[in-house]
Amino acid sequence: MTTPDFSRPVLAIDTSTAFLSLALHADGQWHGMHTEAGNRQSDLILPGIRNLLSEAACTVSDLGAIVYAQGAGAFTGLRIGIGVAQGLAVPFGIPLVGIPCLDAVAYQIPDCECVLAATDARMGEVFYAWFDTRRHERLSAYGVGKAEEIALPESCQGRQVAGAGNAFALEQPPAFAGQPFMPTAADYLRLAQSGRYPATAAEHANLLYIRNKVALTAAEQLAKKVQAAF
């Protein structure tokens, strides 16, 4: 089955940051967990899901879909999230809906014609993309780079820019007005319910990688320390 059934309970998983965020929508009720987990996401995620299912008096087999954070984000966290989603979905043929993380960030500012979604990518860079959340359009490719190098797209010229994402809490944030708003798993679930994001069979689910490099080499780390010292 690759068509989500939002009339049934739906689970959402976001492990793209240091937070573990889970949401379950069942019988019109919302159940959630959002906690700073650090490197304990793999220890906390399954007990957290069991607790939400128990609260809603349902089981994995009752789920009409599982929503997951697709990336870009923390490499290890994303792998944990999709691995758990696939492991739960495969035995019951539950469809998965991947939501790009920057989309979820952008929709913290709805009904706006020019939104910059920007999140901390570590290594002195940010993940970013431009959106029109009023017309539900992405105005640029997903990108990664220095915050100060983000350029206003032609389609946003003359429009008021609104920014969202934890990149705006960095010491060197993007050069646009913005707030460090970040989504929870419930926000991912609501975007999935919009029907604008395709579902897929669990075995075909994937992650969105904006860059292949996930860490600085030892030499690069040393060079960075040397630069900071002078």
Side-chain angles (χ1 to χ4, degrees):
M1 180 176 68
T2 58
T3 302
D5 184 353
F6 292 111
S7 68
R8 297 169 60 184
V10 176
L11 173 70
I13 299 170
D14 174 21
T15 52
S16 63
T17 70
F19 286 82
L20 170 62
S21 192
L22 305 171
L24 179 68
H25 187 237
D27 296 325
Q29 301 295 314
W30 289 89
H31 307 267
M33 170 184 174
H34 187 78
T35 185
E36 189 165 5
N39 60 5
R40 299 189 62 227
Q41 287 182 333
S42 60
D43 297 327
L44 300 176
I45 187 168
L46 290 177
I49 291 171
R50 281 195 292 268
N51 287 341
L52 294 191
L53 291 171
S54 177
E55 286 178 13
C58 62
T59 66
V60 174
S61 63
D62 295 320
L63 296 176
I66 298 176
V67 181
Y68 68 97
Q70 194 175 30
F75 179 81
T76 300
L78 290 172
R79 296 301 305 171
I80 291 170
I82 194 173
V84 169
Q86 289 175 314
L88 295 174
V90 166
F92 305 103
I94 300 169
L96 300 188
V97 182
I99 304 294
C101 296
L102 289 172
D103 293 47
V105 171
Y107 277 93
Q108 299 304 290
I109 305 177
D111 198 31
C112 182
E113 293 182 330
C114 188
V115 177
L116 171 60
T119 59
D120 186 3
R122 304 301 177 93
M123 298 190 290
E125 295 182 323
V126 299
F127 297 121
Y128 66 92
W130 293 88
F131 295 83
D132 180 340
T133 57
R134 176 174 297 173
R135 298 179 179 85
H136 308 302
E137 297 176 357
R138 178 160 51 86
L139 305 175
S140 73
Y142 299 112
V144 61
K146 301 291 185 182
E148 63 269 23
E149 296 174 355
I150 299 175
L152 189 70
E154 186 66 30
S155 56
C156 281
Q157 297 294 332
R159 295 180 179 177
Q160 184 173 355
V161 175
N166 59 12
F168 289 95
L170 295 175
E171 185 176 340
Q172 293 183 321
F176 301 92
Q179 296 293 328
F181 303 139
M182 290 294 285
T184 67
D187 297 306
Y188 283 84
L189 203 160
R190 291 186 184 95
L191 278 182
Q193 290 173 326
S194 73
R196 296 192 299 270
Y197 296 87
T200 185
E203 59 269 25
H204 299 306
N206 56 26
L207 293 172
L208 173 63
Y209 294 119
I210 297 177
R211 69 177 176 204
N212 293 323
K213 190 174 188 178
V214 297
L216 293 174
T217 66
E220 289 169 331
Q221 291 179 43
L222 178 58
K224 191 171 183 180
K225 290 179 181 178
V226 171
Q227 291 172 2
F230 293 93

